[in-house]
Amino acid sequence: MSQINTIFKNMSWLFISQIIASICGFIWTILIARYLGVNNYGILGFAISLTGILFVFMDLGVGTYIVRAIATDYDSAPRYLGNTLPLKSLFAIGTFFLTLIILIIQKADMLTITVTLLFTIERILNAFIGLINATFQAFEEGKYQGIGNTILNLLLLIFILLTIFTDLGIYGISFSYILANLIALIYAYVTLTKHITKPKYEFDKKLCKEITLLALPFALTGFLSSVYYSIDMVMLTNMVGNYSTGLYNATYKLISVLTLFYSIYGAVFFPVMSKLYKNDAKLLIISYEKSLKYLMIVIIPIAIATMFYSTDIIQLCYGHEYDAASPVLSILIWTVCLLFISGVGNTLLNASHKEVTVTKIYAIAAVFNIVLNLILIPKFSFNGAAITTVLSDILIVVIQSYVIYKLGYRVNKKLYLDLGKIIIGSIILGITLYFLNLNMWIAIPAGIIIYFAVICLLKLFDDDDKYVIKEILSKNN
């Protein structure tokens, strides 16, 4: 099977699972927001954000390091897993108590403390799922991760529906997350041992120390990235209260549905790029170029359309109680475009053993994000947090592009021409939507037809793209 076919096969499994996950996530986001109300939804947002920031201490970059290590040496998998699974248990225990200490220092109320600790348990279970999924990625067996993701999200939706039906409140929502992740973890572990490899359990202190040290740059990047993307909700809660956090969290959840699709790209391409760095530098840069092109083809027109119909989307999802969140959605949608650009760059740099460079970039962005939030949140509340996020994303893309260029990765000038065509097509789409002023449901199919007609007229797809499509559609496995 060609590498393109393998990539497409893995992406197909993950894409289908992500569609299911996004539909489920979209439904439970709406249901939870309406069920809990703005204030309790703000508490939930705080709990998820704080545990998201501290999640790095449950993993310490081990998952990302494992993908790169095993992808280039499958025989090392049993030993790596046999040591990292016990190692992560120690990380998890430490993180639980660290979370409790932070909540006590913040003088959080009992409801916030309990909900946050319950989500800490959910994050611990998810961290072990992540490690096993990392092994699936390294072996390029995306179907197992895809099935696991589907099981997790369908179960979570079912448990949330039962919670709302039986009126178990915010505690019931929290336990729904824990139970769904526990069942998904059992599936992942059984599948790992049956179809991929069996961990060789031991606790080799030297190896564990080596793994931890080599994974630390990934851990620092993960921590800084979490701070960068989650600190705004923590700061909103402490500076302007749960109500503003609830509005911001509602918008952020919608954005998260789109950003989850980027995880498909990372899961599939990171092990591929790791191999290409070792074996074929030319193909490495080509994969980077094509990744940027294809991701931008999809996400830029979505951002344009979302900006025009933000009020309709918010009202459809949450009702008039959340109307004030529509400007936030118009701003935050652009973080998805920027995330896709920086995400492709991160994959290239991490695969090229430049993870320390990625860490430095996110350190700069995290400091910039916190300082700007301190300035803008008191003045503009959740809108200030949204503006800060976009400006921070722009900073990352600018620094990262400079670093990639200085490292000697020279992209084909045709990529800039292609990106220009995508932007032109998206602008024409936006102008058309503005003047036609269509109903949102009519605008969706009309916009798709208009956009793809324009980019086809601009001859965006070249012979290489046609070859990729031909390989994907080929029945010769």
Side-chain angles (χ1 to χ4, degrees):
M1 185 184 291
S2 71
Q3 186 67 69
I4 291 175
N5 238 303
T6 301
I7 290 172
F8 181 71
K9 178 184 175 183
N10 284 317
M11 288 197 75
S12 296
W13 278 101
L14 294 173
F15 186 72
I16 292 169
S17 74
Q18 197 56 65
I19 289 175
I20 296 170
S22 296
I23 293 172
C24 292
F26 181 73
I27 294 170
W28 78 55
T29 294
I30 295 170
L31 292 175
I32 293 173
R34 288 174 177 264
Y35 174 62
L36 294 179
V38 177
N39 282 312
N40 276 348
Y41 199 55
I43 293 173
L44 191 71
F46 170 81
I48 292 173
S49 297
L50 180 61
T51 55
I53 292 172
L54 299 178
F55 178 81
V56 66
F57 296 107
M58 305 177 197
D59 180 70
L60 286 181
V62 169
T64 307
Y65 174 75
I66 286 294
V67 174
R68 193 176 71 186
I70 296 178
T72 54
D73 182 11
Y74 289 162
D75 293 336
S76 65
R79 187 163 180 248
Y80 272 120
L81 287 170
N83 280 275
T84 52
L85 285 169
L87 182 64
K88 289 191 76 166
S89 299
L90 297 177
F91 295 162
I93 294 169
T95 304
F96 184 88
F97 286 105
L98 174 63
T99 306
L100 178 59
I101 291 169
I102 290 173
L103 291 168
I104 292 171
I105 292 172
Q106 284 193 322
K107 297 181 180 179
D109 59 76
M110 186 55 65
L111 177 60
T112 301
I113 290 174
T114 306
V115 171
T116 304
L117 290 179
L118 287 173
F119 270 93
T120 302
I121 295 171
E122 180 265 342
R123 293 283 188 177
I124 290 170
L125 295 171
N126 195 256
F128 284 103
I129 294 173
L131 182 59
I132 296 173
N133 282 342
T135 309
F136 294 153
Q137 292 167 25
F139 279 88
E140 297 185 63
E141 291 289 353
K143 64 179 180 180
Y144 299 126
Q145 182 177 349
I147 294 170
N149 288 343
T150 301
I151 291 171
L152 170 61
N153 287 283
L154 287 175
L155 286 175
L156 182 53
L157 177 59
I158 292 169
F159 294 149
I160 287 172
L161 288 170
L162 289 172
T163 294
I164 294 173
F165 181 75
T166 54
D167 195 21
L168 296 177
I170 194 170
Y171 290 132
I173 298 294
S174 304
F175 278 108
S176 295
Y177 277 84
I178 292 173
L179 188 56
N181 275 272
L182 178 60
I183 296 172
L185 176 58
I186 294 170
Y187 159 80
Y189 187 79
V190 170
T191 303
L192 172 72
T193 55
K194 185 176 180 180
H195 297 288
I196 304 297
T197 188
K198 292 183 178 180
K200 182 182 178 183
Y201 285 106
E202 59 183 1
F203 196 78
D204 185 330
K205 291 183 180 178
K206 183 178 179 181
L207 179 62
C208 288
K209 182 180 179 181
E210 178 185 332
I211 291 171
T212 303
L213 290 175
L214 291 173
L216 272 180
F218 296 117
L220 286 172
T221 301
F223 175 71
L224 293 168
S225 179
S226 296
V227 168
Y228 168 68
Y229 284 111
S230 300
I231 196 65
D232 42 13
M233 270 188 271
V234 176
M235 294 177 74
L236 276 168
T237 299
N238 285 286
M239 296 172 74
V240 292
N242 288 329
Y243 184 81
S244 293
T245 307
L247 290 173
Y248 190 80
N249 185 37
T251 305
Y252 216 92
K253 286 297 182 182
L254 293 179
I255 296 297
S256 298
V257 172
L258 289 175
T259 57
L260 284 173
F261 280 99
Y262 168 72
S263 66
I264 299 172
Y265 168 82
V268 173
F269 273 84
F270 182 48
V272 172
M273 282 192 172
S274 296
K275 291 179 182 178
L276 291 177
Y277 173 73
K278 186 176 181 181
N279 302 318
D280 195 327
K282 184 178 179 181
L283 276 179
L284 175 64
I285 194 64
I286 290 174
S287 67
Y288 169 72
E289 293 171 353
K290 291 300 181 184
S291 296
L292 271 180
K293 178 177 178 178
Y294 297 151
L295 288 172
M296 291 304 102
I297 285 173
V298 175
I299 197 58
I300 292 180
I302 290 177
I304 291 286
T306 301
M307 189 174 66
F308 275 99
Y309 292 98
S310 60
T311 301
D312 294 311
I313 294 170
I314 290 294
Q315 289 180 358
L316 174 68
C317 294
Y318 301 119
H320 290 288
E321 185 182 4
Y322 288 84
D323 276 354
S326 59
V328 182
L329 181 59
S330 295
I331 299 169
L332 280 182
I333 188 61
W334 294 103
T335 67
V336 183
C337 297
L338 295 164
L339 171 65
F340 280 21
I341 296 172
S342 63
V344 175
N346 287 343
T347 304
L348 173 66
L349 293 172
N350 284 331
S352 304
H353 295 249
K354 299 297 180 183
E355 55 270 16
V356 174
T357 302
V358 177
T359 302
K360 292 177 181 177
I361 293 172
Y362 274 89
I364 295 170
V367 172
F368 177 81
N369 184 278
I370 292 171
V371 171
L372 204 57
N373 267 322
L374 287 170
I375 296 170
L376 295 184
I377 287 178
K379 293 182 178 180
F380 305 108
S381 187
F382 42 80
N383 289 318
I387 293 168
T388 296
T389 301
V390 173
L391 292 176
S392 301
D393 279 337
I394 292 172
L395 178 63
I396 287 176
V397 169
V398 170
I399 297 174
Q400 189 185 76
S401 299
Y402 173 77
V403 168
I404 289 173
Y405 180 83
K406 292 297 288 183
L407 288 172
Y409 292 115
R410 302 290 190 268
V411 299
N412 193 310
K413 291 181 179 179
K414 188 178 180 303
L415 174 64
Y416 300 113
L417 180 62
D418 287 339
L419 293 177
K421 291 177 181 178
I422 294 169
I423 293 171
I424 291 170
S426 300
I427 291 173
I428 292 174
L429 170 64
I431 293 171
T432 305
L433 293 176
Y434 176 77
F435 283 106
L436 292 180
N437 194 26
L438 299 171
N439 174 277
M440 183 176 69
W441 298 110
I442 298 174
I444 292 172
I448 292 172
I449 293 170
I450 292 167
Y451 173 69
F452 278 99
V454 171
I455 61 174
C456 286
L457 286 173
L458 292 172
K459 297 181 179 179
L460 178 63
F461 300 103
D462 56 24
D463 291 338
D464 290 337
D465 299 319
K466 293 173 184 176
Y467 171 75
V468 170
I469 294 170
K470 182 180 177 181
E471 281 289 296
I472 289 171
L473 297 177
S474 173
K475 294 182 180 180
N476 298 321
N477 291 330

